[in-house]
Amino acid sequence: MTPGARLVQVDGLVKHFPGARALLGLGRARRPVRAVDGVSFAIESGQTLGLVGESGCGKSTVGRSILRLIEPDAGRVTLDGVEVLALGPRELRALRRRMQIVFQDPYGSLNPRMTVYQTLAEPLAIHRLAAGPEVERRVRSLLEEVGLDPAFARAYPHELSGGQRQRVGIARALSVEPQFLVLDEPVSALDVSVQAQVLNLLAELQRKRRLTYLFIAHDLAVVKHIADHVAVMYLGKIVERASAAALYGAPRHPYTTSLLSAVPVPDPTAQRQRIVLQGDVPSPAAPPPGCPFHPRCPHPKKNDRCRTEPPALREVAPGQLAACHFAEEPM
Amino acid sequence: MSALTWLALAGAVAVALLVAEEAHRRAAASAAGRRFLRHPTATPGVFILAFFVTLATAAPLLAPYDPAFQIDIVHLQNHAPSAQNILGTDVYSRDVWSRLVYGARISLGIGTIAMLVAVTAGAGVGAVAGYVRRWVGAVLMRGVDVGLAMPRMFVLLMAVALWEHLPLAVLVLLIGLTGWFATSRLVRAEVLSLREREFVAAARAAGAGPTRVIFRHVLPNAAAPIIVSAALGIGNVMLLEAGLSYLGLGVPSPLPSWGSMIYDGEPFMAGAPWTSLFPGCAIALVVMALNAVGDGLRDALDPRKETA
Amino acid sequence: MTEPLLRVRDLKTYFVTEQGSGTARAVDGVSLDLFPGETLGLVGESGCGKTVTSLSILRLIPEPPGHIRPGSFIEFEGRNLLTLAPKELRAIRGNRIAMVFQEPMTSLNPVFTVGDQIAEAAIVHQGLSRNAARARAVEMLTLVGIPDPQERVDHYPHQMSGGMRQRVMIAMALVCHPKLLIADEPTTALDVTIQAQILELLDRLQRELGMAVMLITHDLGVVAGTADRVVVMYAGQVVEQAPTTTLFARPLHPYTEGLLASVPRLDTRVSQVRGRLHSIPGQVPAATAWPTGCRFHPRCPYAWDRCASEEPPLLDAPGGEAGAHTVRCWLLTEPQRRERRA
């Protein structure tokens, strides 16, 4: 595949979770939660898209829907031209060789009853990639590749530290030699010093294996380190999407601006104008009419149009899209 | 009783002590084992179970008489414990000790096999009901609710009453098949929470199908509560069997089960209490031991305590 | 210089581990001072002992398995907290010293209204009547910026969002106007926009009420924006202590230096950050087996043989007054080693 070609493409992805239902699903369903509400983006081969947002904005649901760990309700996902959402169970399992996921919680994402060896050997067995002594060799080289001593193969997850577990999680994802990785908050449960180690490892693996990443995170500073492009989500929708340089340098959506200004910077002398957003994120079961951000929006020009007309995600500068009526006049 | 029998009995006690000692030693080596040992009754429980299991397996060595053999129907009816018959004889002049030893086979055997049936069925139904979304799970669990609502003893009595000379195997199967409802609920609850764990999602992302996910990732992690409920369940089944046999509807004579021994001795409780007392004590001891071990296992296998 | 409000000396809190494999020396000789009205940031990674330190101050360590070793000393307003009778201690907890925990979801009792929970401390410590306590609860909710306090006072915790609950926690802590507020990772469980709200609230309340705050966090960004002085902990010990601006401008302990360098930062240009992040090699050691000598030496880029054998004391940084900036590192005795490496 030529570099720069679109490896992953997502169009109009929608996922609504039904409200709780009564006996046998016969009762009246409660209002559905619109976790993902029409999300579109593309990732070029070998690049990283950072998907950023606060808890409950739907960013993890997007990642899992692409892999069909969650079945989306509508939309299109293609991986290297293959329609992911149209695949039957057998083809889907075969496709999972090419896309993998690394989870946030290094404690919950490893089976506590399986050794590291068993965890890493399982995908090889499922896809019949190796057998006999070859399995052992592959597990060894995977562990070395993620910076772990091969002796860890015999260890159980509870004998490892958080950073070591996360390395095992990465090794498991790499074991089937995928092209595309969904990284779902891979460093947010780790300590600062370990977080840096894992981020470096991810960057190095991307270079060596020419991987394509969807990096899901709530931490804008972490994303800045690894992403080529960034998409910011709010209440199930992408509100801004741009190259990292544009998004961090000249954000167009007031939510992005506020988010950036809210991140604490480890510099006591920094003179920053901090925008403190008022109120809480509304429930995705009952998003506000018009622009979903309008109740909290600090933009000075906010008016009735924001309360009634939902802004479309549109190109405001070359390669920079924002869903705001006043994107041309950023704060 | 011959010297050889005494020797065999001493041997059985020695084996049980060794097992308890070894279990204690191994348990002390791991954190989970130490949680087990924190129950003061756990080790005695292991000893009692080991003792009765040894009795059951080595029954021919330990029993001086055939359990159905009527030694002397004229002179040895309801004879008090003596040097010849350490636990006395029953109304048919059979040796109570020999019947107790062989009865251990029947009673423990029924308990274990019925529980295995129940656990297999319960784990299977629970796993499917918990893992498969949509209507399958809901239907299964409504069925379980119906099963739980039926009085178990009544169902068994009805089966026994309707089917004359019920073979023992069928009885065991029936006990097992009426005893899995609670287990299936437990397993389902466990599976429901495990299903949402990320390592299950990771296995699915790696391409694992539902069978592999259930058997490799979900059930092994639900094993702890299953084992505990099985340990406690064996005691229940034994009590149930004793109850049925006591009503004369369980293990058919002359097969010795502890319940049927109590039934046989019941009319002579005043004059020859030993015929019912000793099997009663055996049941009580084993059930208490199972509860003690089950409680210990519950703490030992609790995965929430494993992270520390 | 004013007298410290809180003076901790050589605090050692050990835990007997369940494995029976030894003693976890979670806090191992911590000394620190907290002055009236100041915000002290207590920083470190998980397992460094920062939370155990704060729990020890209020003697909230579960005993067993934990115990505070003899020889430890915690003085608050002139009284040694470690020798107080339980009754006297209770008169201080929640009254003179209050605490806010990390998890706003689990730290509130789900079966009582938030008003009841806020009023409880006022009833216990100040003997307020139910009506007066309720009025105080409404007043506190107003203070922490909860809209419609008259109505909210009768709500249950599950009716509130995470940020709201953390505000309620703060209202509960402040109801008796404590002299010292211990906030243990108060914003870690919250989203960044809510975190900004809570930090701003804490800042405002501290100014208005004139209390001292001990802010425990792993986030150097949070410390930089709020603390007057910072104490950095590693492996159960204080490794560096300095005024915030000094510490960020001139970190002297290699651990502090490494930690600061490994934080992904937002205040640099994208072109600059695309590259390797600095990272500290290795793992945080286990509390049952701290390394000998300097506890950081296995991960330290400057370490030499002395570091492995001899434990450094807290040394005064050159060029400052005694006690203003202290560092637990032998490099201070041989500064040329740092330059040689650089």
Side-chain angles (χ1 to χ4, degrees):
Chain A
M1 161 164 252
T2 49
R6 290 177 167 187
L7 180 73
V8 180
Q9 182 136 14
V10 175
D11 282 308
L13 195 69
V14 173
K15 177 66 191 177
H16 291 183
F17 290 107
R21 283 173 171 222
L23 177 77
L24 286 171
L26 298 175
R28 197 164 56 92
R30 272 195 274 164
R31 233 184 331 202
V33 174
R34 301 197 211 167
V36 178
D37 207 5
V39 163
S40 307
F41 57 80
I43 314 174
E44 289 174 12
S45 180
Q47 297 232 309
T48 300
L49 175 72
L51 192 57
V52 187
E54 296 180 279
S55 50
C57 73
K59 57 192 192 297
S60 281
T61 309
V62 169
R64 287 169 196 223
S65 296
I66 294 174
L67 268 74
R68 282 181 64 188
L69 291 173
I70 292 173
E71 291 293 339
D73 295 318
R76 254 183 91 207
V77 176
T78 56
L79 176 78
D80 201 3
V82 180
E83 291 276 355
V84 176
L85 301 186
L87 297 179
R90 188 175 296 266
E91 302 147 314
L92 177 63
R93 242 174 271 171
L95 191 76
R96 281 189 173 151
R97 256 201 74 182
R98 301 174 58 186
M99 48 184 193
Q100 280 293 313
I101 181 165
V102 175
F103 295 95
Q104 168 179 9
D105 178 8
Y107 297 86
S109 59
L110 299 177
N111 187 335
R113 309 250 171 228
M114 282 164 71
T115 61
V116 169
Y117 182 88
Q118 289 170 321
T119 297
L120 296 183
E122 185 178 41
L124 299 176
I126 291 172
H127 295 284
R128 302 204 175 84
L129 296 177
E134 171 68 7
V135 177
E136 174 127 30
R137 203 190 57 74
R138 292 277 280 269
V139 168
R140 239 187 120 79
S141 83
L142 279 168
L143 285 173
E144 278 166 358
E145 192 172 357
V146 297
L148 286 176
D149 190 315
F152 277 116
R154 282 191 299 275
Y156 281 92
H158 71 262
E159 299 169 289
L160 307 180
S161 71
Q164 289 166 339
R165 288 181 217 212
Q166 201 56 298
R167 286 171 193 266
V168 173
I170 294 169
R172 170 178 56 195
L174 293 178
S175 64
V176 295
E177 300 185 355
Q179 297 166 282
F180 172 54
L181 278 188
V182 173
L183 305 163
D184 190 357
E185 301 256 15
V187 297
S188 52
L190 304 176
D191 272 321
V192 178
S193 68
V194 182
Q195 170 179 304
Q197 293 174 4
V198 173
L199 282 175
N200 285 340
L201 172 68
L202 288 169
E204 187 188 307
L205 290 169
Q206 180 170 42
R207 244 190 338 269
K208 276 206 317 218
R209 291 186 170 235
R210 286 199 244 118
L211 291 163
T212 305
Y213 287 162
L214 175 64
F215 191 100
I216 299 168
H218 69 277
D219 187 331
L220 283 156
V222 167
V223 170
K224 189 172 186 177
H225 255 271
I226 196 150
D228 303 289
H229 288 81
V230 182
V232 179
M233 280 185 79
Y234 188 77
L235 282 177
K237 289 188 161 83
I238 289 181
V239 296
E240 182 158 6
R241 207 175 84 203
S243 71
L247 190 119
Y248 287 97
R252 295 297 189 127
H253 197 283
Y255 179 61
T256 315
T257 314
S258 325
L259 214 50
L260 284 170
S261 89
V263 177
V265 166
D267 177 4
T269 58
Q271 293 298 317
R272 291 202 309 158
Q273 205 193 350
R274 208 178 202 174
I275 307 163
V276 175
L277 288 181
Q278 296 308 306
D280 292 308
V281 182
S283 159
C291 171
F293 186 58
H294 85 256
R296 302 177 77 199
C297 183
H299 201 288
K301 292 210 163 169
K302 181 165 78 170
N303 61 17
D304 275 341
R305 193 177 164 210
C306 301
R307 280 180 273 276
T308 50
E309 185 189 329
L313 186 65
R314 62 205 168 84
E315 187 155 19
V316 260
Q320 183 161 17
L321 288 77
C324 174
H325 295 309
F326 301 102
E328 280 78 10
E329 306 154 75
M331 290 162 55
Chain B
M1 254 168 77
S2 69
L4 204 64
T5 319
W6 282 112
L7 199 66
L9 183 58
V13 173
V15 166
L17 273 175
L18 273 176
V19 169
E21 171 69 29
E22 176 68 13
H24 190 284
R25 201 178 59 76
R26 292 206 177 180
S30 73
R34 276 191 297 277
R35 287 198 296 274
F36 179 74
L37 296 180
R38 223 178 278 157
H39 286 259
T41 51
T43 310
V46 171
F47 168 74
I48 290 169
L49 289 183
F51 176 69
F52 279 101
V53 169
T54 316
L55 284 194
T57 41
L61 290 177
L62 282 153
Y65 301 96
D66 184 278
F69 178 62
Q70 302 181 352
I71 305 167
D72 185 342
I73 192 72
V74 180
H75 296 107
L76 269 180
Q77 268 194 7
N78 287 335
H79 202 281
S82 66
Q84 264 73 47
N85 310 98
I86 43 161
L87 300 185
T89 61
D90 68 1
V91 66
Y92 302 112
S93 80
R94 296 176 297 201
D95 183 40
V96 171
W97 166 248
S98 301
R99 288 181 70 71
L100 193 78
V101 168
Y102 275 95
R105 281 192 166 180
I106 306 277
S107 292
L108 291 176
I110 289 178
T112 312
I113 295 169
M115 205 56 228
L116 280 179
V117 172
V119 163
T120 313
V125 172
V128 171
Y131 191 75
V132 182
R133 292 163 198 260
R134 294 179 311 228
W135 57 272
V136 181
V139 168
L140 282 174
M141 287 334 278
R142 294 298 87 76
V144 166
D145 289 344
V146 172
L148 273 173
M150 280 194 303
R152 194 175 176 193
M153 194 65 170
F154 180 73
V155 173
L156 289 171
L157 282 176
M158 221 165 63
V160 175
L162 291 176
W163 186 345
E164 233 170 306
H165 303 299
L166 191 72
L168 190 54
V170 177
L171 180 71
V172 173
L173 206 63
L174 267 179
I175 294 178
L177 288 179
T178 49
W180 56 267
F181 305 113
T183 313
S184 74
R185 270 201 175 170
L186 190 81
V187 172
R188 173 173 172 270
E190 203 69 21
V191 170
L192 275 179
S193 82
L194 285 168
R195 188 181 67 180
E196 303 302 325
R197 296 276 294 274
E198 286 192 332
F199 66 82
V200 170
R204 290 173 55 214
T211 323
R212 177 184 276 269
V213 169
I214 290 181
F215 283 100
R216 292 267 293 170
H217 296 278
V218 174
L219 280 182
N221 284 291
I226 298 177
I227 291 171
V228 172
S229 89
L232 299 173
I234 294 178
N236 263 333
V237 172
M238 287 180 60
L239 288 174
L240 195 65
E241 178 269 328
L244 279 175
S245 298
Y246 176 73
L247 294 172
L249 298 167
V251 176
S253 205
L255 273 181
S257 90
W258 293 344
S260 66
M261 286 173 74
I262 300 177
Y263 171 66
D264 289 343
E266 191 259 357
F268 316 102
M269 269 304 278
W274 52 87
T275 49
S276 296
L277 189 64
F278 292 117
C281 287
I283 292 175
L285 271 178
V286 169
V287 170
M288 284 193 294
L290 281 165
N291 279 320
V293 171
D295 278 348
L297 285 177
R298 192 202 313 274
D299 277 8
L301 300 176
D302 187 347
R304 272 165 298 184
K305 299 187 174 172
E306 231 156 67
T307 44
Chain C
M1 208 169 185
T2 48
E3 272 296 293
L5 178 70
L6 175 79
R7 197 201 302 261
V8 177
R9 287 293 173 274
D10 204 25
L11 175 67
K12 290 183 176 166
T13 307
Y14 292 0
F15 289 84
V16 178
T17 56
E18 194 178 325
Q19 280 72 16
S21 56
T23 306
R25 294 182 285 162
V27 172
D28 205 10
V30 163
S31 299
L32 53 86
D33 289 327
L34 184 53
F35 294 92
E38 86 167 334
T39 298
L40 178 72
L42 195 55
V43 187
E45 297 180 283
S46 46
C48 73
K50 55 190 193 299
T51 294
V52 176
T53 301
S54 69
L55 292 175
S56 301
I57 291 169
L58 282 176
R59 282 176 51 199
L60 290 171
I61 297 292
E63 296 183 46
H67 64 286
I68 296 174
R69 302 273 298 169
S72 306
F73 179 76
I74 299 174
E75 187 191 71
F76 176 74
E77 294 185 322
R79 295 204 287 173
N80 185 354
L81 296 184
L82 296 179
T83 56
L84 285 186
K87 197 170 173 229
E88 296 171 294
L89 194 63
R90 281 200 297 275
I92 290 180
R93 283 183 194 156
N95 186 23
R96 310 294 296 162
I97 305 178
M99 200 153 177
V100 176
F101 296 94
Q102 172 176 355
E103 278 298 332
M105 308 297 157
T106 54
S107 310
L108 287 170
N109 189 333
V111 301
F112 292 108
T113 64
V114 296
D116 285 340
Q117 296 186 58
I118 296 170
E120 191 183 0
I123 294 170
V124 170
H125 292 295
Q126 304 186 329
L128 259 57
S129 70
R130 291 217 72 86
N131 280 336
R134 189 190 151 87
R136 173 71 73 80
V138 173
E139 187 188 311
M140 293 310 297
L141 288 175
T142 317
L143 182 71
V144 297
I146 287 185
D148 312 321
Q150 291 286 356
E151 205 177 299
R152 285 287 181 173
V153 74
D154 293 320
H155 280 200
Y156 288 90
H158 72 263
Q159 295 169 291
M160 299 188 145
S161 69
M164 287 283 202
R165 278 186 257 205
Q166 197 56 291
R167 283 174 193 262
V168 170
M169 288 294 301
I170 293 170
M172 269 171 78
L174 299 186
V175 70
C176 293
H177 299 304
K179 294 309 282 181
L180 169 60
L181 177 71
I182 299 175
D184 188 356
E185 303 269 11
T187 60
T188 306
L190 305 174
D191 276 318
V192 64
T193 58
I194 310 298
Q195 166 174 289
Q197 294 174 2
I198 298 292
L199 288 177
E200 197 187 56
L201 171 71
L202 278 175
D203 199 42
R204 173 169 67 82
L205 291 175
Q206 179 183 26
R207 268 185 281 113
E208 283 174 16
L209 306 176
M211 61 185 175
V213 175
M214 182 185 273
L215 182 71
I216 297 164
T217 178
H218 69 282
D219 190 329
L220 288 162
V222 168
V223 172
T226 41
D228 303 309
R229 213 150 50 80
V230 184
V231 166
V232 182
M233 285 188 70
Y234 182 79
Q237 295 180 322
V238 172
V239 294
E240 185 159 8
Q241 177 272 125
T244 309
T245 41
T246 316
L247 187 100
F248 281 85
R250 201 164 65 103
L252 289 181
H253 197 284
Y255 175 65
T256 317
E257 199 182 32
L259 208 55
L260 275 171
S262 49
V263 185
R265 299 179 70 124
L266 211 49
D267 52 352
T268 39
R269 275 212 312 280
V270 170
S271 55
Q272 288 175 314
V273 296
R274 291 296 304 229
R276 275 188 79 80
L277 265 174
H278 176 87
S279 69
I280 303 173
Q283 311 281 338
V284 178
T288 44
W290 297 131
T292 55
C294 170
R295 292 178 183 181
F296 187 61
H297 87 262
R299 306 176 72 189
C300 181
Y302 307 107
W304 68 99
D305 42 1
R306 184 181 191 182
C307 304
S309 56
E310 223 180 315
E311 185 169 315
L314 273 172
L315 301 167
D316 273 311
E321 68 179 289
H325 184 178
T326 50
V327 187
R328 191 184 290 280
C329 181
W330 289 125
L331 270 180
L332 265 67
T333 62
E334 296 182 47
Q336 68 280 8
R337 284 181 184 268
R338 188 192 293 268
E339 281 135 37
R340 227 181 289 149
R341 247 197 82 94

